[in-house]
Amino acid sequence: MAAKRDYYDVLGVSRDASDADVKKAFRRLARELHPDVNPEAEAGERFREAAEAYEVLSDSETRARYDRYGHAGMAGTQFHTEQFMDFSSLSDLLGAFFGDDIFSGGRRARPRGGDAAATIELSLADAAFGATREVGVDLITACERCEGTGAEPGTQPTACPECGGSGRVQHVAQTAFGQFVQASPCAVCGGRGVRIESPCQDCRGRGRLSVRKSVEVQVPPGIASGQRLRLAGRGHEGEGGAGDLYVHVTVAPDPRFERDGNDLVTVLDLPFTRAALGTTVTVETLEGPYEIEVKPGTQPGEVIVLRARGIPVLGGRGRGDHRIVVGVMIPRKLTDEQRAQLRGFERGVDDATYSSDESFLGRLRAAFR
Ligand SMILES: [Zn+2]
Ligand SMILES: [Zn+2]
């Protein structure tokens, strides 16, 4: 084990340093080494060392003993360095010892309201092009009747007698270094600093209550099922501002379209004669009916691509494609006459009639690439 360092060296003060110098030195080290501001393990050790040195040198009796006998004179002494570490924060520690309030400027940060959640269901077209929806959500909000004071209109809240209106109570703690004061939220008023003699009838003195509110949600184009929108500051209200509202989006399946990322996929069933001869058909797209040309000799599984007619890219530019997979219908029932016509057709078939450079499977793969 390393030899114990001299307490004066630890604090960086001379042997004839005044009490004020000792205090100042420790305060400087605390601000540098406290676990609140310095997460390194080594800093924690140095902080303990400084706290111990301060404990000894800040008390004239123990300091005199240390000056005469050194560390040997401290044998059997119970140090209280853990008490220093136990302060929940550096500002509490410095506040307790030096009356500092270096971080919060006097008052503790007031709590922000909680986050709230809501769900909306959209049609595929609304998800594609964006939509504005009103969503009902129960939100904690300032009570209108008492304007958040908790006091019945016409009455005034008075200062909490326990904490005198500060919302904080101070405890005097006895330690080896004498008394010091630690503050905590007042249990009587819950830290609000007020006493309400005639509680508001609507909120029963709480100043806030849960109200069903209608919130307008702007859904951006291109959203997909399962995604979540965050509306900053639209959640529950708190003394330090409102939390966020998270809106979970589900997109209802559309029987007309299959979604594949930002692409849409539909199937077009054509009679075999029209697939062979070519035709013009009207298909359903996101924007309504749309006329397309089907080339003569179109094969089952062939894909007709309507560029940039799919889903817009969320938060970006451009759109996916609309892919139309062609199905070919083969007649199930033929009249005698039709059968005779097909036989006649068949007699004229030669090698060129069905020639192909692509397999059916290849075409299907192209549809779901
Ligand atoms: Zn009220
Ligand atoms: Zn109080």
Side-chain angles (χ1 to χ4, degrees):
M1 205 178 109
K4 239 178 142 104
R5 287 173 68 204
D6 179 75
Y7 289 143
Y8 291 98
D9 289 346
V10 168
L11 293 183
V13 294
S14 64
R15 299 194 80 84
D16 56 6
S18 68
D19 284 354
D21 289 340
V22 167
K23 200 168 184 171
K24 215 162 102 189
F26 174 60
R27 173 194 193 149
R28 183 179 49 76
L29 287 169
R31 294 178 80 142
E32 182 188 323
L33 300 172
H34 190 277
D36 237 28
V37 289
N38 195 332
E40 285 168 38
E42 195 210 348
E45 278 316 303
R46 286 186 57 207
F47 180 77
R48 281 194 172 80
E49 193 184 26
E52 185 182 311
Y54 177 72
E55 183 171 345
V56 171
L57 300 185
S58 63
D59 181 286
S60 56
E61 195 190 309
T62 51
R63 182 173 175 179
R65 190 143 41 96
Y66 177 73
D67 286 345
R68 258 177 109 170
Y69 304 109
H71 286 299
M74 297 296 114
T77 306
Q78 275 292 97
F79 293 110
H80 299 79
T81 46
E82 291 313 312
Q83 282 181 342
F84 285 92
M85 301 297 276
D86 281 349
F87 281 95
S88 58
S89 71
L90 175 59
S91 58
D92 275 1
L93 170 83
L94 296 178
F97 280 88
F98 310 113
D100 285 10
D101 218 336
I102 56 166
F103 292 134
S104 58
R107 283 203 86 147
R108 234 159 223 275
R110 296 187 301 167
R112 201 181 76 121
D115 294 334
T119 301
I120 53 173
E121 193 184 64
L122 298 172
S123 68
L124 184 64
D126 283 343
F129 298 122
T132 302
R133 284 281 181 285
E134 295 284 327
V135 59
V137 52
D138 292 319
L139 292 175
I140 310 249
T141 179
C143 173
E144 283 184 15
R145 184 181 171 85
C146 62
E147 294 172 327
T149 64
E152 186 65 3
T155 71
Q156 291 292 327
T158 55
C160 168
E162 180 71 16
C163 61
S166 68
R168 304 248 275 166
V169 282
Q170 303 192 322
H171 311 273
V172 177
Q174 292 287 350
T175 73
F177 351 101
Q179 295 185 347
F180 64 84
V181 174
Q182 208 174 355
S184 61
C186 171
V188 172
C189 63
R192 295 178 63 198
V194 292
R195 179 159 79 173
I196 291 153
E197 317 215 349
S198 318
C200 165
Q201 286 177 11
D202 280 4
C203 65
R204 294 193 202 135
R206 288 188 302 258
R208 270 172 290 166
L209 69 180
S210 178
V211 175
R212 187 82 179 164
K213 286 208 169 173
S214 182
V215 177
E216 189 181 279
V217 181
Q218 306 265 8
V219 183
I223 201 153
S225 216
Q227 290 181 316
R228 202 168 69 150
L229 298 168
R230 176 171 156 270
L231 277 69
R234 303 302 301 276
H236 300 301
E237 283 179 25
E239 286 177 59
D244 299 333
L245 173 63
Y246 287 94
V247 180
H248 189 86
V249 176
T250 60
V251 179
D254 190 313
R256 301 169 302 165
F257 308 106
E258 205 55 53
R259 185 170 177 171
D260 180 20
N262 286 323
D263 287 354
L264 292 176
V265 180
T266 56
V267 170
L268 173 66
D269 284 324
L270 287 174
F272 76 110
T273 45
R274 294 180 129 230
L277 296 170
T279 185
T280 300
V281 287
T282 301
V283 295
E284 203 51 49
T285 71
L286 264 185
E287 281 123 322
Y290 185 77
E291 205 169 75
I292 60 167
E293 291 287 321
V294 178
K295 293 193 303 282
T298 293
Q299 301 294 310
E302 202 161 294
V303 179
I304 299 165
V305 179
L306 307 181
R307 295 270 169 228
R309 289 198 157 255
I311 309 274
V313 177
L314 180 66
R317 288 157 150 262
R319 286 174 68 174
D321 298 331
H322 182 160
R323 306 201 299 273
I324 300 166
V325 184
V326 177
V328 173
M329 296 186 288
I330 309 297
R332 291 175 187 277
K333 279 182 185 161
L334 296 169
T335 63
D336 289 347
E337 193 193 343
Q338 288 166 333
R339 200 173 292 113
Q341 285 168 337
L342 286 181
R343 291 235 163 88
F345 165 76
E346 200 174 27
R347 277 192 293 276
V349 165
D350 62 18
D351 284 354
T353 309
Y354 291 110
S355 69
S356 169
D357 46 24
E358 206 184 5
S359 71
F360 177 70
L361 198 60
R363 290 192 294 276
L364 268 188
R365 284 195 181 119
F368 292 97
R369 75 199 126 85

